[in-house]
Amino acid sequence: MPIATTNPATGQVLKTYEAMPEEEIDAAIERADLAFRQLHGTTVEQRGRWLTAAADLLEAERDATARLMTTEMGKTYAAARAEVTKCATACRFYAANAAAFLADEPADAPAVKATRAFVRYQPIGPVLAVMPWNFPLWQVMRFAAPALMAGNTGLLKHASNVPQTALLLEDLFRRAGFPEGAFTTLLVGSEAVDRILSDPRVRAATLTGSERAGRSIAQIAGRELKKTVLELGGSDPFVVMPSADLDRAAEVATTARCQNNGQSCIAAKRFIVHTDVFDAFAERFAANMSALRVGDPMDDDTDVGPLASEGGRDEIHAQVRDAVDRGATVLCGGEPPAGPGWYYPPTVVTDLTPQMRMWREEVFGPVAGLYRVSSYDEAIEVANGTSFGLGSNAWTRDPDEQERFATDLDAGNVFVNGMTTSFPELPFGGVKNSGYGRELSALGMREFCNTKTVWVGEGAASAGAGAHAE
Ligand code: NAP
């Protein structure tokens, strides 16, 4: 894949880059390793000041950064601005909470026959981050903010279609005060990942992306015995039960499917509706989807911009055609418009069967599959009947059903009467083919820490577990 900025609204190639030669990659890994040693001598408070400076820069430069993201991958300018703000919030969250997340945890010393025992969280070294284009700032920040605060260093291999956003991130952390090499962008294609992850100085990897890329990185990491966190695809269910507030559910369903032009891992993709309210929900949902304005992502009146690539648009149209050819019904949308740009209309498809690609595969665009079920048990069966398990949504005002959904949905999160979203305060990640490991919260920070057990016998100084440099 060429490393280039191509505007999805026009198809115009705006800037291309040569991939970094191997010597430059090796030099960057060396700098990341040196910077890791340098961070070892810094306190969490110092790193917090740098991360707060990064938040200040993000906020001060929000509009220009947002414009760049819109130009590189087509999200609406409004969504891009919100993404920048969300990144600044996450930086401030980790700057404020890292000391508590990294604090030594005392253990029951007498039980383990020690005078003193505790758990200490320490950074592990340079971590490779392979990231996707769909939230080009946020996906990176939710790895980088906790990793840098913990004292790790980051090597970013970003998606090939967002090179300018990738370079902006390196520049941001440098200007915020982090030492040279603490966060480096490697302009490389995916074929370079094997070499980077095989380097003994690189201690772990995190990938947000497709199942295919996840399998590839997990194989390399397995061979090299390195830790990975994988945030992969999803085909999130959105279940609507008879007691649901239908107007609200149909409104949120529309946003949950079409936010980020339908290209979100945690977008609701399969709408599983109880037969008692199926027709009423379908009517409202199709009307809302049809009313969305598709167009120039820089225009404040636009709800849905272009897809990020021509290949991505062709893929979702092929999935819709496959369903229609096998007997599915299109309630709205279904035909890409003529003209420049990789646009696709908000689309609702129903009468789906397991033989159709849409039933089994992730649909990465503004296309909703609508399923009719006749009971709670059938809703769970359809919702869990996928190889993915990232997010899930259930709409019901019945407290018993709310509890049951929380337990029965086989996913990394369950949002009841709301759409799946991520917060720095809550763990984020999936099960099954949606990956493993968690980002965000204290758990995300500790994924790239050595959870070190410290046991001290007789003869030790009497001080308890205390502050330490990292
Ligand atoms: P992708 O093709 O897997 O690309 C993601 C990143 O992986 C890019 O940097 C890409 O580099 C790299 N890559 C691709 N193939 C690779 C390989 N064989 N070995 C090493 N690196 C490889 O994903 P995408 O299709 O662009 O992004 C959409 C997917 O990401 C969807 O499935 C979506 O659900 C998922 N996603 C998941 C989450 C989550 O949190 N779980 C969040 C966002 C997106 P190049 O660009 O150079 O190919």
mmCIF file of all heavy atoms in Angstrom, residues 47-60 84-99 101 138 141 145-146 149 424-425:
data_model
loop_
_atom_site.group_PDB
_atom_site.id
_atom_site.type_symbol
_atom_site.label_atom_id
_atom_site.label_comp_id
_atom_site.label_asym_id
_atom_site.label_seq_id
_atom_site.Cartn_x
_atom_site.Cartn_y
_atom_site.Cartn_z
ATOM 1 N N ARG A 47 6.493 13.291 33.882
ATOM 2 C CA ARG A 47 5.843 12.790 32.662
ATOM 3 C C ARG A 47 4.416 13.345 32.567
ATOM 4 O O ARG A 47 3.912 13.620 31.483
ATOM 5 C CB ARG A 47 5.859 11.256 32.644
ATOM 6 C CG ARG A 47 7.290 10.696 32.656
ATOM 7 C CD ARG A 47 7.326 9.238 32.267
ATOM 8 N NE ARG A 47 6.715 8.339 33.231
ATOM 9 C CZ ARG A 47 7.307 7.825 34.312
ATOM 10 N NH1 ARG A 47 8.571 8.137 34.579
ATOM 11 N NH2 ARG A 47 6.672 6.995 35.112
ATOM 12 N N GLY A 48 3.790 13.516 33.723
ATOM 13 C CA GLY A 48 2.447 14.107 33.747
ATOM 14 C C GLY A 48 2.456 15.538 33.228
ATOM 15 O O GLY A 48 1.531 15.974 32.541
ATOM 16 N N ARG A 49 3.527 16.276 33.546
ATOM 17 C CA ARG A 49 3.613 17.667 33.036
ATOM 18 C C ARG A 49 3.756 17.649 31.517
ATOM 19 O O ARG A 49 3.147 18.455 30.817
ATOM 20 C CB ARG A 49 4.791 18.398 33.693
ATOM 21 C CG ARG A 49 4.489 18.851 35.124
ATOM 22 C CD ARG A 49 5.505 19.868 35.627
ATOM 23 N NE ARG A 49 6.801 19.272 35.916
ATOM 24 C CZ ARG A 49 7.105 18.625 37.057
ATOM 25 N NH1 ARG A 49 6.202 18.483 38.011
ATOM 26 N NH2 ARG A 49 8.310 18.120 37.236
ATOM 27 N N TRP A 50 4.530 16.701 30.982
ATOM 28 C CA TRP A 50 4.679 16.629 29.520
ATOM 29 C C TRP A 50 3.347 16.244 28.855
ATOM 30 O O TRP A 50 2.976 16.799 27.826
ATOM 31 C CB TRP A 50 5.759 15.602 29.145
ATOM 32 C CG TRP A 50 7.156 16.021 29.529
ATOM 33 C CD1 TRP A 50 7.629 17.289 29.637
ATOM 34 C CD2 TRP A 50 8.253 15.155 29.869
ATOM 35 N NE1 TRP A 50 8.949 17.273 30.004
ATOM 36 C CE2 TRP A 50 9.372 15.988 30.153
ATOM 37 C CE3 TRP A 50 8.417 13.767 29.951
ATOM 38 C CZ2 TRP A 50 10.621 15.470 30.508
ATOM 39 C CZ3 TRP A 50 9.661 13.253 30.305
ATOM 40 C CH2 TRP A 50 10.746 14.104 30.584
ATOM 41 N N LEU A 51 2.658 15.300 29.491
ATOM 42 C CA LEU A 51 1.396 14.866 28.877
ATOM 43 C C LEU A 51 0.341 15.976 28.955
ATOM 44 O O LEU A 51 -0.486 16.139 28.048
ATOM 45 C CB LEU A 51 0.893 13.587 29.561
ATOM 46 C CG LEU A 51 -0.043 12.729 28.714
ATOM 47 C CD1 LEU A 51 0.608 12.277 27.415
ATOM 48 C CD2 LEU A 51 -0.523 11.510 29.484
ATOM 49 N N THR A 52 0.387 16.745 30.031
ATOM 50 C CA THR A 52 -0.529 17.889 30.137
ATOM 51 C C THR A 52 -0.192 18.929 29.065
ATOM 52 O O THR A 52 -1.100 19.532 28.459
ATOM 53 C CB THR A 52 -0.419 18.515 31.547
ATOM 54 O OG1 THR A 52 -0.709 17.491 32.503
ATOM 55 C CG2 THR A 52 -1.383 19.669 31.727
ATOM 56 N N ALA A 53 1.113 19.099 28.799
ATOM 57 C CA ALA A 53 1.514 20.031 27.733
ATOM 58 C C ALA A 53 0.994 19.523 26.374
ATOM 59 O O ALA A 53 0.575 20.323 25.517
ATOM 60 C CB ALA A 53 3.032 20.182 27.703
ATOM 61 N N ALA A 54 1.008 18.208 26.183
ATOM 62 C CA ALA A 54 0.471 17.643 24.927
ATOM 63 C C ALA A 54 -1.027 17.960 24.816
ATOM 64 O O ALA A 54 -1.520 18.323 23.737
ATOM 65 C CB ALA A 54 0.712 16.132 24.886
ATOM 66 N N ALA A 55 -1.741 17.853 25.946
ATOM 67 C CA ALA A 55 -3.178 18.170 25.944
ATOM 68 C C ALA A 55 -3.399 19.638 25.585
ATOM 69 O O ALA A 55 -4.291 19.976 24.788
ATOM 70 C CB ALA A 55 -3.779 17.859 27.313
ATOM 71 N N ASP A 56 -2.568 20.510 26.156
ATOM 72 C CA ASP A 56 -2.694 21.949 25.858
ATOM 73 C C ASP A 56 -2.485 22.208 24.362
ATOM 74 O O ASP A 56 -3.223 22.971 23.738
ATOM 75 C CB ASP A 56 -1.661 22.762 26.653
ATOM 76 C CG ASP A 56 -1.935 22.727 28.161
ATOM 77 O OD1 ASP A 56 -3.060 22.368 28.552
ATOM 78 O OD2 ASP A 56 -1.004 23.045 28.930
ATOM 79 N N LEU A 57 -1.454 21.559 23.793
ATOM 80 C CA LEU A 57 -1.170 21.748 22.359
ATOM 81 C C LEU A 57 -2.324 21.231 21.510
ATOM 82 O O LEU A 57 -2.726 21.865 20.529
ATOM 83 C CB LEU A 57 0.118 21.006 21.972
ATOM 84 C CG LEU A 57 1.429 21.642 22.432
ATOM 85 C CD1 LEU A 57 2.595 20.670 22.246
ATOM 86 C CD2 LEU A 57 1.698 22.927 21.643
ATOM 87 N N LEU A 58 -2.849 20.085 21.888
ATOM 88 C CA LEU A 58 -3.978 19.517 21.123
ATOM 89 C C LEU A 58 -5.144 20.499 21.109
ATOM 90 O O LEU A 58 -5.765 20.742 20.061
ATOM 91 C CB LEU A 58 -4.425 18.193 21.747
ATOM 92 C CG LEU A 58 -3.567 16.967 21.433
ATOM 93 C CD1 LEU A 58 -3.933 15.822 22.375
ATOM 94 C CD2 LEU A 58 -3.728 16.524 19.987
ATOM 95 N N GLU A 59 -5.442 21.059 22.265
ATOM 96 C CA GLU A 59 -6.587 21.978 22.347
ATOM 97 C C GLU A 59 -6.317 23.270 21.573
ATOM 98 O O GLU A 59 -7.192 23.768 20.856
ATOM 99 C CB GLU A 59 -6.912 22.275 23.813
ATOM 100 C CG GLU A 59 -7.704 21.126 24.432
ATOM 101 C CD GLU A 59 -7.725 21.151 25.949
ATOM 102 O OE1 GLU A 59 -7.048 22.009 26.548
ATOM 103 O OE2 GLU A 59 -8.401 20.283 26.532
ATOM 104 N N ALA A 60 -5.082 23.758 21.678
ATOM 105 C CA ALA A 60 -4.759 25.017 20.994
ATOM 106 C C ALA A 60 -4.782 24.846 19.469
ATOM 107 O O ALA A 60 -5.099 25.782 18.737
ATOM 108 C CB ALA A 60 -3.384 25.507 21.447
ATOM 109 N N VAL A 84 -10.176 15.295 18.573
ATOM 110 C CA VAL A 84 -9.011 15.990 19.155
ATOM 111 C C VAL A 84 -9.284 16.287 20.632
ATOM 112 O O VAL A 84 -8.432 16.048 21.508
ATOM 113 C CB VAL A 84 -8.694 17.299 18.390
ATOM 114 C CG1 VAL A 84 -7.479 17.988 19.018
ATOM 115 C CG2 VAL A 84 -8.447 17.034 16.905
ATOM 116 N N THR A 85 -10.484 16.774 20.915
ATOM 117 C CA THR A 85 -10.837 17.097 22.305
ATOM 118 C C THR A 85 -10.796 15.846 23.182
ATOM 119 O O THR A 85 -10.309 15.881 24.322
ATOM 120 C CB THR A 85 -12.246 17.741 22.340
ATOM 121 O OG1 THR A 85 -12.208 18.899 21.510
ATOM 122 C CG2 THR A 85 -12.660 18.128 23.739
ATOM 123 N N LYS A 86 -11.287 14.745 22.641
ATOM 124 C CA LYS A 86 -11.288 13.491 23.397
ATOM 125 C C LYS A 86 -9.852 13.060 23.730
ATOM 126 O O LYS A 86 -9.571 12.565 24.832
ATOM 127 C CB LYS A 86 -11.996 12.401 22.574
ATOM 128 C CG LYS A 86 -12.114 11.075 23.263
ATOM 129 C CD LYS A 86 -13.047 10.150 22.504
ATOM 130 C CE LYS A 86 -13.137 8.811 23.214
ATOM 131 N NZ LYS A 86 -14.206 7.974 22.724
ATOM 132 N N CYS A 87 -8.936 13.269 22.787
ATOM 133 C CA CYS A 87 -7.528 12.914 23.026
ATOM 134 C C CYS A 87 -6.938 13.775 24.140
ATOM 135 O O CYS A 87 -6.198 13.279 24.997
ATOM 136 C CB CYS A 87 -6.712 13.099 21.740
ATOM 137 S SG CYS A 87 -7.095 11.850 20.514
ATOM 138 N N ALA A 88 -7.253 15.061 24.118
ATOM 139 C CA ALA A 88 -6.736 15.949 25.165
ATOM 140 C C ALA A 88 -7.277 15.500 26.526
ATOM 141 O O ALA A 88 -6.545 15.471 27.532
ATOM 142 C CB ALA A 88 -7.140 17.390 24.871
ATOM 143 N N THR A 89 -8.547 15.121 26.563
ATOM 144 C CA THR A 89 -9.154 14.655 27.821
ATOM 145 C C THR A 89 -8.433 13.405 28.333
ATOM 146 O O THR A 89 -8.160 13.272 29.536
ATOM 147 C CB THR A 89 -10.656 14.345 27.596
ATOM 148 O OG1 THR A 89 -11.270 15.516 27.088
ATOM 149 C CG2 THR A 89 -11.342 13.899 28.862
ATOM 150 N N ALA A 90 -8.111 12.499 27.425
ATOM 151 C CA ALA A 90 -7.428 11.260 27.840
ATOM 152 C C ALA A 90 -6.035 11.581 28.375
ATOM 153 O O ALA A 90 -5.585 10.979 29.360
ATOM 154 C CB ALA A 90 -7.335 10.281 26.673
ATOM 155 N N CYS A 91 -5.338 12.538 27.741
ATOM 156 C CA CYS A 91 -4.001 12.923 28.238
ATOM 157 C C CYS A 91 -4.127 13.447 29.668
ATOM 158 O O CYS A 91 -3.352 13.083 30.556
ATOM 159 C CB CYS A 91 -3.395 14.014 27.357
ATOM 160 S SG CYS A 91 -2.842 13.409 25.760
ATOM 161 N N ARG A 92 -5.112 14.311 29.897
ATOM 162 C CA ARG A 92 -5.276 14.883 31.244
ATOM 163 C C ARG A 92 -5.662 13.799 32.250
ATOM 164 O O ARG A 92 -5.223 13.810 33.401
ATOM 165 C CB ARG A 92 -6.340 15.996 31.227
ATOM 166 C CG ARG A 92 -5.917 17.199 30.390
ATOM 167 C CD ARG A 92 -6.806 18.402 30.626
ATOM 168 N NE ARG A 92 -6.630 19.396 29.564
ATOM 169 C CZ ARG A 92 -5.553 20.168 29.428
ATOM 170 N NH1 ARG A 92 -4.566 20.075 30.287
ATOM 171 N NH2 ARG A 92 -5.470 21.028 28.427
ATOM 172 N N PHE A 93 -6.488 12.848 31.799
ATOM 173 C CA PHE A 93 -6.901 11.760 32.691
ATOM 174 C C PHE A 93 -5.686 10.957 33.158
ATOM 175 O O PHE A 93 -5.523 10.687 34.358
ATOM 176 C CB PHE A 93 -7.897 10.835 31.967
ATOM 177 C CG PHE A 93 -8.236 9.597 32.740
ATOM 178 C CD1 PHE A 93 -9.158 9.632 33.779
ATOM 179 C CD2 PHE A 93 -7.612 8.387 32.453
ATOM 180 C CE1 PHE A 93 -9.455 8.489 34.513
ATOM 181 C CE2 PHE A 93 -7.898 7.239 33.180
ATOM 182 C CZ PHE A 93 -8.831 7.298 34.213
ATOM 183 N N TYR A 94 -4.822 10.585 32.217
ATOM 184 C CA TYR A 94 -3.664 9.774 32.614
ATOM 185 C C TYR A 94 -2.639 10.598 33.385
ATOM 186 O O TYR A 94 -1.968 10.079 34.286
ATOM 187 C CB TYR A 94 -3.052 9.057 31.406
ATOM 188 C CG TYR A 94 -3.828 7.797 31.094
ATOM 189 C CD1 TYR A 94 -4.676 7.719 30.004
ATOM 190 C CD2 TYR A 94 -3.744 6.703 31.949
ATOM 191 C CE1 TYR A 94 -5.418 6.576 29.753
ATOM 192 C CE2 TYR A 94 -4.482 5.552 31.711
ATOM 193 C CZ TYR A 94 -5.313 5.491 30.612
ATOM 194 O OH TYR A 94 -6.048 4.359 30.388
ATOM 195 N N ALA A 95 -2.510 11.877 33.029
ATOM 196 C CA ALA A 95 -1.594 12.729 33.793
ATOM 197 C C ALA A 95 -2.054 12.798 35.256
ATOM 198 O O ALA A 95 -1.238 12.761 36.181
ATOM 199 C CB ALA A 95 -1.534 14.123 33.181
ATOM 200 N N ALA A 96 -3.366 12.839 35.460
ATOM 201 C CA ALA A 96 -3.899 12.983 36.822
ATOM 202 C C ALA A 96 -3.914 11.660 37.584
ATOM 203 O O ALA A 96 -3.788 11.654 38.816
ATOM 204 C CB ALA A 96 -5.320 13.554 36.761
ATOM 205 N N ASN A 97 -4.074 10.540 36.884
ATOM 206 C CA ASN A 97 -4.322 9.275 37.586
ATOM 207 C C ASN A 97 -3.174 8.274 37.556
ATOM 208 O O ASN A 97 -3.234 7.240 38.226
ATOM 209 C CB ASN A 97 -5.572 8.603 37.015
ATOM 210 C CG ASN A 97 -6.823 9.377 37.368
ATOM 211 O OD1 ASN A 97 -7.258 9.374 38.513
ATOM 212 N ND2 ASN A 97 -7.388 10.075 36.388
ATOM 213 N N ALA A 98 -2.142 8.559 36.767
ATOM 214 C CA ALA A 98 -1.081 7.555 36.610
ATOM 215 C C ALA A 98 -0.422 7.207 37.937
ATOM 216 O O ALA A 98 -0.111 6.040 38.196
ATOM 217 C CB ALA A 98 -0.038 8.041 35.610
ATOM 218 N N ALA A 99 -0.196 8.213 38.798
ATOM 219 C CA ALA A 99 0.494 7.929 40.062
ATOM 220 C C ALA A 99 -0.296 6.888 40.863
ATOM 221 O O ALA A 99 0.281 5.948 41.424
ATOM 222 C CB ALA A 99 0.664 9.212 40.868
ATOM 223 N N PHE A 101 -2.486 4.706 39.567
ATOM 224 C CA PHE A 101 -2.505 3.423 38.838
ATOM 225 C C PHE A 101 -1.187 2.661 38.982
ATOM 226 O O PHE A 101 -1.147 1.444 38.878
ATOM 227 C CB PHE A 101 -2.777 3.654 37.350
ATOM 228 C CG PHE A 101 -4.151 4.187 37.038
ATOM 229 C CD1 PHE A 101 -4.427 4.773 35.795
ATOM 230 C CD2 PHE A 101 -5.182 4.115 37.963
ATOM 231 C CE1 PHE A 101 -5.694 5.263 35.496
ATOM 232 C CE2 PHE A 101 -6.451 4.611 37.671
ATOM 233 C CZ PHE A 101 -6.698 5.190 36.442
ATOM 234 N N TRP A 138 -7.113 9.319 17.928
ATOM 235 C CA TRP A 138 -7.580 8.671 19.158
ATOM 236 C C TRP A 138 -6.996 7.269 19.343
ATOM 237 O O TRP A 138 -6.587 6.885 20.451
ATOM 238 C CB TRP A 138 -9.112 8.636 19.171
ATOM 239 C CG TRP A 138 -9.685 7.768 20.263
ATOM 240 C CD1 TRP A 138 -10.402 6.629 20.118
ATOM 241 C CD2 TRP A 138 -9.559 7.976 21.685
ATOM 242 N NE1 TRP A 138 -10.734 6.098 21.342
ATOM 243 C CE2 TRP A 138 -10.228 6.915 22.320
ATOM 244 C CE3 TRP A 138 -8.948 8.958 22.467
ATOM 245 C CZ2 TRP A 138 -10.304 6.794 23.709
ATOM 246 C CZ3 TRP A 138 -9.016 8.835 23.862
ATOM 247 C CH2 TRP A 138 -9.691 7.774 24.456
ATOM 248 N N MET A 141 -3.589 7.731 20.609
ATOM 249 C CA MET A 141 -3.510 8.370 21.925
ATOM 250 C C MET A 141 -3.912 7.413 23.035
ATOM 251 O O MET A 141 -3.329 7.434 24.122
ATOM 252 C CB MET A 141 -4.407 9.611 21.942
ATOM 253 C CG MET A 141 -4.114 10.522 23.084
ATOM 254 S SD MET A 141 -2.383 11.028 23.128
ATOM 255 C CE MET A 141 -2.342 12.273 21.843
ATOM 256 N N ALA A 145 -0.827 7.634 25.579
ATOM 257 C CA ALA A 145 -0.918 8.382 26.841
ATOM 258 C C ALA A 145 -0.596 7.483 28.043
ATOM 259 O O ALA A 145 0.293 7.808 28.838
ATOM 260 C CB ALA A 145 -2.284 9.041 26.981
ATOM 261 N N PRO A 146 -1.263 6.330 28.200
ATOM 262 C CA PRO A 146 -0.893 5.484 29.349
ATOM 263 C C PRO A 146 0.506 4.889 29.230
ATOM 264 O O PRO A 146 1.210 4.754 30.234
ATOM 265 C CB PRO A 146 -1.966 4.387 29.352
ATOM 266 C CG PRO A 146 -2.599 4.420 28.006
ATOM 267 C CD PRO A 146 -2.449 5.818 27.490
ATOM 268 N N MET A 149 3.083 7.546 30.120
ATOM 269 C CA MET A 149 2.990 7.861 31.551
ATOM 270 C C MET A 149 3.618 6.760 32.398
ATOM 271 O O MET A 149 4.202 7.020 33.441
ATOM 272 C CB MET A 149 1.524 8.053 31.966
ATOM 273 C CG MET A 149 0.962 9.423 31.710
ATOM 274 S SD MET A 149 1.947 10.777 32.377
ATOM 275 C CE MET A 149 1.855 10.480 34.117
ATOM 276 N N PRO A 424 -11.881 7.108 29.005
ATOM 277 C CA PRO A 424 -10.605 6.775 29.639
ATOM 278 C C PRO A 424 -10.797 6.024 30.956
ATOM 279 O O PRO A 424 -9.951 5.243 31.360
ATOM 280 C CB PRO A 424 -9.964 8.146 29.906
ATOM 281 C CG PRO A 424 -10.647 9.104 29.014
ATOM 282 C CD PRO A 424 -12.019 8.554 28.745
ATOM 283 N N GLU A 425 -11.952 6.233 31.603
ATOM 284 C CA GLU A 425 -12.190 5.635 32.933
ATOM 285 C C GLU A 425 -12.555 4.151 32.853
ATOM 286 O O GLU A 425 -12.525 3.463 33.877
ATOM 287 C CB GLU A 425 -13.344 6.365 33.637
ATOM 288 C CG GLU A 425 -13.060 7.804 34.004
ATOM 289 C CD GLU A 425 -13.275 8.795 32.853
ATOM 290 O OE1 GLU A 425 -13.587 8.363 31.720
ATOM 291 O OE2 GLU A 425 -13.108 10.005 33.067
#
